[in-house]
Amino acid sequence: MKLKVTALLLICLGIGIFYFTGNNTARPIAQKTTQQSPSKVTLPSQSSSYSVTIESAVLSQNSTPVTHSSLSWNMHFNGTGEQQGLLTDIEFSNNAKPQPLVKELPFKFTENNGVFSHVDLLALPSDHTLNVLPNILDLLSFSEASPLTFNDAHGQKTYTYQRINNEVQRQITSHLNKPITTKSDTSEQWHLTLNTNQQPLHLNYSSDSIWHNKDQQYHIIQKVDIQRLTPQDRTFTNVSSNKNAALASQKKQIDAQTINDETSMYVAIAELQTTLDPTLAKLIGEFLLQEYDLTELITLIEQDSSLSSAIIYALQKEQSPLAEQMLADLLTTDRLTTHIKQKLLIALGRFGASSTVSFNALAALADKPNNPLAKTALLNLGSMAKFTPEQSNTVEHYLSEQLQSEQHLSTAILASANSKSTALLPHIAKLLSHQQKGVKRDAVKVLSSKAQYHDQVVATILSSPDVQIVDAFTRAISDSGLVLSQYNKARLQSLYNTTQNPIILKRLKTLGIKST
């Protein structure tokens, strides 16, 4: 049976965060204006070259690796006349597997006092991996004269720059997210070193962020390293304005793919690791269930464990009872690692059409306190109630019993939070007085996001102030966007006025509570 692959091959999710698609013909990559500065940072009058390496990793909500990509090239500037550039030695790999890309890419640009703009990729298709280039040149830009504003996939950022000797640092002053973007907890590190001629010598950049896609949460880690190379002789020839338009054939080849044998299946899995397209995942899942039995599927995963995430995701999105049973059966084999089985537990919890097959598979492991998978199974039992509402009553009954047991009690609280069941909140509230600090902390963490439980939570904090519990409380309040009542602010004010613990004082300040 031939299955049409309709999803397009996009670049790795991590790399894709750098840039936004659109008309890239002679477009400015950022809104930048600079004035004359006493200390200029310019490209040399002769040609110059740099090596560029971009590493991107995507982790799931429980820190399981989803995909890793590496993109590198050498970048050459002509330095005279019309400003023209050339990428050479281009290499792109996804999960350590090389991906086909053009070996050279010409482009044009404007550079003024260290600021790149108007990067013209010569009609390069908007979904091509190398559209990341303008944003890499953004990273290489800086100005002491005025702030620089850049656009990327998740919005607009403005930076100011400070140079001490040959070292440059930057600081973000404003950040406007795009409405369609759901992103939080972003941290960036940027450091530029200049040579004695005030030209870029070495740039080191890293970012760490959390992204949300519907019900999925992803941890994105990115690193960029740019090193100045020894000058290399390069011939820069005149290029037409649509020089790179022919690279669109890459996309057309992918559109024509079908999954009808092992080779095309591997191609589709590589694409799925890049796009996480649920439609493509379902097609792959159908092919796997048709062509592979349990033993063959285990062997397939054993042969290349980097495929395990994509295979499990494909079975999850296939949604049939056969797919659910296959996921449950894979849990029972001794041939798969604990790490892979954790992915299977997540897939069963998020299956979305779960039956007693998924519930029994998860509960069987959760009931074994010494099993290394017990806590993960319990957490994903909670998720099942959210993703398969038909199972909510069964899950609630199970978790209510777990909340009355001392076995994995903290995990049971977090599993109850995963379930989104309000019926379990009274059971969690009873644990605010538990003797174990970890249990009490997790109960506070869950209930702090529910305004109706603030009185009880604050009473717990006042009865026995603890740094970890106060930290869990203040973070949950901030994350939920809730505002404490004046009554509870006054109660916490008394704690602020009497405690000597600097961490508790600092955490309470985040809620607007200060000394009086």
Side-chain angles (χ1 to χ4, degrees), residues 154 157 175 183-188 205 207-211:
H154 44 70
K157 296 179 183 178
H175 182 192
K183 182 178 65 66
S184 61
D185 300 331
T186 299
S187 62
E188 289 186 326
Y205 170 84
S207 71
D208 197 310
S209 59
I210 303 296
W211 280 65

Side-chain angles (χ1 to χ4, degrees), residues 325-505:
Q325 187 64 58
M326 181 67 82
L327 290 169
D329 289 344
L330 286 169
L331 268 178
T332 64
T333 179
D334 294 331
R335 293 166 56 183
L336 298 181
T337 65
T338 298
H339 180 61
I340 291 175
K341 288 186 177 182
Q342 287 175 332
K343 301 177 191 179
L344 290 165
L345 293 172
I346 294 170
L348 287 171
R350 295 169 175 260
F351 192 71
S354 298
S355 68
T356 55
V357 171
S358 293
F359 178 84
N360 291 338
L362 292 169
L365 286 172
D367 288 337
K368 297 177 180 178
N370 296 324
N371 192 300
L373 295 170
K375 291 183 178 180
T376 305
L378 186 54
L379 287 171
N380 285 284
L381 263 173
S383 299
M384 183 185 295
K386 174 186 174 182
F387 287 92
T388 308
E390 295 80 4
Q391 292 291 332
S392 59
N393 289 336
T394 303
V395 173
E396 286 173 8
H397 177 73
Y398 179 88
L399 290 177
S400 66
E401 293 182 342
Q402 294 295 311
L403 291 170
Q404 299 174 56
S405 168
E406 291 299 316
Q407 178 179 300
H408 298 322
L409 191 50
S410 284
T411 306
I413 293 172
L414 299 178
S416 300
N418 285 349
S419 74
K420 306 301 181 184
S421 169
T422 57
L424 294 171
L425 296 178
H427 296 283
I428 298 175
K430 294 177 181 179
L431 299 174
L432 288 171
S433 58
H434 199 277
Q435 292 183 347
Q436 291 184 26
K437 186 171 69 175
V439 172
K440 185 184 297 186
R441 178 200 62 220
D442 289 328
V444 166
K445 179 180 179 180
V446 172
L447 295 176
S448 295
S449 62
K450 313 296 179 184
Q452 65 270 35
Y453 287 95
H454 282 179
D455 289 358
Q456 291 175 255
V457 171
V458 172
T460 298
I461 293 173
L462 295 177
S463 67
S464 180
D466 177 85
V467 169
Q468 292 185 4
I469 292 176
V470 172
D471 179 70
F473 170 68
T474 55
R475 289 181 185 276
I477 293 292
S478 299
D479 291 345
S480 66
L482 294 175
V483 178
L484 287 174
S485 67
Q486 291 301 317
Y487 168 68
N488 283 318
K489 281 188 175 181
R491 298 168 76 193
L492 291 171
Q493 185 69 60
S494 65
L495 172 61
Y496 189 96
N497 293 337
T498 57
T499 186
Q500 300 298 316
N501 190 300
I503 299 178
I504 291 179
L505 291 171

Side-chain angles (χ1 to χ4, degrees), residues 179-435:
I180 60 172
T181 297
T182 307
K183 182 178 65 66
S184 61
D185 300 331
T186 299
S187 62
E188 289 186 326
Q189 298 293 326
W190 183 95
H191 182 262
L192 177 65
T193 303
L194 308 176
N195 64 14
T196 54
N197 294 323
Q198 305 304 302
Q199 299 153 354
L201 179 65
H202 181 215
L203 173 73
N204 184 268
Y205 170 84
S206 64
S207 71
D208 197 310
S209 59
I210 303 296
W211 280 65
H212 303 272
N213 179 20
K214 297 182 180 179
D215 293 320
Q216 302 282 341
Q217 178 174 294
Y218 299 101
H219 181 193
I220 314 297
I221 302 171
Q222 299 174 314
K223 295 182 179 181
V224 178
D225 187 85
I226 302 177
Q227 293 269 10
R228 187 176 178 85
L229 300 174
T230 301
Q232 302 178 22
D233 291 331
R234 287 284 167 182
T235 301
F236 292 85
T237 59
N238 292 329
V239 291
S240 65
S241 61
N242 63 347
K243 170 68 176 179
N244 298 323
L247 297 179
S249 60
Q250 219 177 29
K251 170 179 174 293
K252 293 177 182 177
Q253 291 173 2
I254 293 163
D255 282 341
Q257 288 179 356
T258 56
I259 305 178
N260 57 1
D261 55 23
E262 188 177 74
T263 300
S264 57
M265 180 195 70
Y266 278 116
V267 172
I269 287 177
E271 180 179 346
L272 180 63
Q273 290 173 320
T274 299
T275 65
L276 301 178
D277 184 335
T279 302
L280 176 59
K282 181 177 175 64
L283 294 174
I284 296 171
E286 290 175 3
F287 181 81
L288 289 171
L289 291 171
Q290 177 179 318
E291 300 294 333
Y292 291 81
D293 61 21
L294 176 62
T295 302
E296 292 169 337
L297 199 54
I298 293 171
T299 301
L300 180 64
I301 295 172
E302 285 181 323
Q303 288 174 347
D304 188 348
S305 61
S306 69
L307 302 179
S308 61
S309 293
I311 290 173
I312 293 169
Y313 180 60
L315 293 174
Q316 176 191 336
K317 291 303 180 182
E318 203 276 338
Q319 294 285 289
S320 70
L322 183 59
E324 182 186 23
Q325 187 64 58
M326 181 67 82
L327 290 169
D329 289 344
L330 286 169
L331 268 178
T332 64
T333 179
D334 294 331
R335 293 166 56 183
L336 298 181
T337 65
T338 298
H339 180 61
I340 291 175
K341 288 186 177 182
Q342 287 175 332
K343 301 177 191 179
L344 290 165
L345 293 172
I346 294 170
L348 287 171
R350 295 169 175 260
F351 192 71
S354 298
S355 68
T356 55
V357 171
S358 293
F359 178 84
N360 291 338
L362 292 169
L365 286 172
D367 288 337
K368 297 177 180 178
N370 296 324
N371 192 300
L373 295 170
K375 291 183 178 180
T376 305
L378 186 54
L379 287 171
N380 285 284
L381 263 173
S383 299
M384 183 185 295
K386 174 186 174 182
F387 287 92
T388 308
E390 295 80 4
Q391 292 291 332
S392 59
N393 289 336
T394 303
V395 173
E396 286 173 8
H397 177 73
Y398 179 88
L399 290 177
S400 66
E401 293 182 342
Q402 294 295 311
L403 291 170
Q404 299 174 56
S405 168
E406 291 299 316
Q407 178 179 300
H408 298 322
L409 191 50
S410 284
T411 306
I413 293 172
L414 299 178
S416 300
N418 285 349
S419 74
K420 306 301 181 184
S421 169
T422 57
L424 294 171
L425 296 178
H427 296 283
I428 298 175
K430 294 177 181 179
L431 299 174
L432 288 171
S433 58
H434 199 277
Q435 292 183 347

